[in-house]
Amino acid sequence: MSDATPPDGAGRRLARNLALYTVARLGLVAVIAAIIIGVGAAVKVSIPLFVALLFALLIAMPLSLLLFKKLRSQVNRDIAAVDAKRRKDRDQLMSRLQGKDEQ
């Protein structure tokens, strides 16, 4: 783990970063949909909200990979930290259940 914080807070950090990433992606969809509807209104074309949201979603998916790369990689690091802690805890439990960790 390259993160300086202990893995005990990794679950909480993961939840916070995942929520931020989700809100950022949804915000990007909303902004792109607003741009699509605004451009449609500027050229006097009525674009249904559903169609604008669908196109915005399609545009935002690859765009969010580029725009939110740092946040996405932080979420990936947090997932790895939580997974490593869970794996360590499971291994400790298994060794205690098998009687290998007697003190």
Side-chain angles (χ1 to χ4, degrees), residues 29-49:
V29 169
V31 167
I32 293 172
I35 291 171
I36 290 171
I37 290 174
V39 168
V43 294
K44 296 185 177 23
V45 174
S46 176
I47 299 174
L49 179 62

Side-chain angles (χ1 to χ4, degrees), residues 29 33 36 48-61:
V29 169
I36 290 171
L49 179 62
F50 181 75
V51 173
L53 285 173
L54 187 64
F55 276 106
L57 186 63
L58 290 174
I59 294 168
M61 288 168 101

Side-chain angles (χ1 to χ4, degrees), residues 68-87:
F68 308 127
K69 183 177 182 177
K70 184 177 178 181
L71 191 54
R72 183 174 41 90
S73 46
Q74 181 62 44
V75 168
N76 289 340
R77 281 193 297 272
D78 292 340
I79 289 171
V82 168
D83 190 41
K85 182 181 182 329
R86 189 174 294 148
R87 190 177 300 121

